Amino acid sequence: MNEWINEKLLPPVLKFVNTKPITALRNGMLYTMPFTIVGSIFLLLANIPYEPAANWVTDSGLAVYFNQAFGASFAIMAVFAVMGIAYSYVKSEGFEGLPAGMIGLVIFIMFMSAEITDVESGATISNIINKDWTGGKGMITAILVGLVVGWVYSWFLRHDIRIKLPEQVPENVANSFTALIPASVLITGAMLVYIFFDKVFNTTFFQFIYDVLQSPLQGVTDTLGGALIIGFLVPFFWFFGVHGSTIVGGIMEPILQANSLENTEILNAGKALTIENGGHIVTKQFMDQFQTVTGAGMTIGLVVFMVFFAKSAQFKQLGRLSLAPAIFGINEPITFATPIVMNPIMVIPFILTPVVSSVITYFALYTGLVPLFTAVQVPWTTPAILSGLLIGGWRTALLQAFVLVLGFFIYLPFARKMDAINYAQETGQPIEEEVLEKIEAEQ
């Protein structure tokens, strides 16, 4: 099985995740991270999950300013994404990427209508940038525009189709003229696309992509099956030494972010955040805080066993060294030193723990035991329980504590077996079933 996976399954998967578009998508989305974290802080301040404090913020008038900061950061995440993806694509080709990022922004704005109709009065307001599309709803369009702009811009430069200036001309001036021809072609092409959708479909490119592509994708991910696939794939890739969090997160993060933002838009519209009102269950917080919390495989339970219950010197020392990093979500020491990678004993709890957590969390959110997540996010290094408290209040923190305790018991029999093997080796005893059972009984 290992040979088949290493020779047949992993090579095409790795080839796919290392392609230029996927690499540009992964790297480009990283540019959104500072703004999502900072924006989440202001969103949290505007919607503190403690009613007396939340009422004080609203009554004091501070909520308006907190929401203004959120609206200028997290709420325009798709703008940062389109620029970051186009920039990363061109940069990976060895060219200056900033002009491509700016072209991507121009086309992104061009694809949305500059008019909006007021629902109450029926009046048409012109000359606007519609922020409905600068957040989660525009994420798939931002990805498509960023990738196409990056590819086309790089094609022009690779074929040396550009205006060249003498070497004495300052670099920033030269770069402006370098971008002139590809910018003209790309913007003209984007205008023709806008005209086509306006005249043929009586809609915008944004609305078309949202209806045909993004909504179905969000619907697929926002199911128990989608949650289980994510929960399974991250530790599955890690088992073979491949960074599953980066691979799966790089592909799924834009869609999960869109789910989070749409939940916040429901609240901003004055509605209750419920599934009946269109709320999403599987969001970025679902993945970060209930599938990969304390690291891929949710290995904090294994670390606790090593620190407090292990008999082997190897596990005791590894647990002590890994405890602090594990609290902050860094579990590479455990993954590679236990080892979990390519270890058929430890792969079972490593995959089973996040899968079980996915099922429990999904139904806790589905039944309303825990509130659906808004766009409030915390850095992935935020310790468990505290992260749950920040993103959803005490009920979310309690659920997080429950699945982590459950994870300890899932890891327990497998950790005891590995510890017994290590202890037998350290004491020079034969690794036989009777010996291992005796060691496990003494733990």
Side-chain angles (χ1 to χ4, degrees), residues 330-351:
I330 301 168
N331 72 335
E332 280 81 357
I334 288 293
T335 306
F336 289 100
T338 302
I340 293 175
V341 172
M342 301 304 290
N343 185 338
I345 296 177
M346 297 307 300
V347 69
I348 298 174
F350 189 62
I351 292 178

Side-chain angles (χ1 to χ4, degrees), residues 337-399:
T338 302
I340 293 175
V341 172
M342 301 304 290
N343 185 338
I345 296 177
M346 297 307 300
V347 69
I348 298 174
F350 189 62
I351 292 178
L352 185 60
T353 301
V355 167
V356 170
S357 176
S358 298
V359 174
I360 293 173
T361 304
Y362 186 91
F363 282 105
L365 291 164
Y366 182 82
T367 57
L369 291 175
V370 172
L372 298 181
F373 304 127
T374 64
V376 174
Q377 294 179 20
V378 294
W380 62 271
T381 52
T382 305
I385 314 303
L386 175 60
S387 62
L389 182 66
L390 292 174
I391 67 170
W394 68 268
R395 286 185 291 172
T396 303
L398 186 61
L399 175 63

Side-chain angles (χ1 to χ4, degrees), residues 6 51 83 91 112 290 343 380 399 416 423 430 442:
N6 283 318
E51 188 171 351
M83 296 182 68
K91 194 72 174 177
M112 67 178 71
F290 290 93
N343 185 338
W380 62 271
L399 175 63
R416 290 177 62 186
Y423 186 78
E442 295 173 354

Side-chain angles (χ1 to χ4, degrees), residues 297-324:
M298 300 173 62
T299 52
I300 190 66
L302 176 59
V303 176
V304 170
F305 170 84
M306 290 179 173
V307 173
F308 297 103
F309 303 101
K311 288 179 64 68
S312 65
Q314 176 183 331
F315 264 21
K316 288 181 179 179
Q317 185 64 21
L318 179 59
R320 296 189 191 103
L321 293 173
S322 302
L323 181 59

Side-chain angles (χ1 to χ4, degrees), residues 110-131:
M110 182 185 295
F111 277 159
M112 67 178 71
S113 175
E115 297 180 344
I116 189 172
T117 301
D118 183 73
V119 178
E120 296 182 0
S121 65
T124 298
I125 305 171
S126 302
N127 199 29
I128 64 154
I129 294 177
N130 192 341
K131 287 181 69 174

Side-chain angles (χ1 to χ4, degrees), residues 147-167:
L147 292 176
V148 171
V149 168
W151 180 77
V152 173
Y153 190 90
S154 299
W155 184 89
F156 272 91
L157 268 58
R158 281 200 311 270
H159 290 80
D160 211 21
I161 304 175
R162 51 181 163 173
I163 297 174
K164 298 180 181 179
L165 297 179
E167 294 182 359

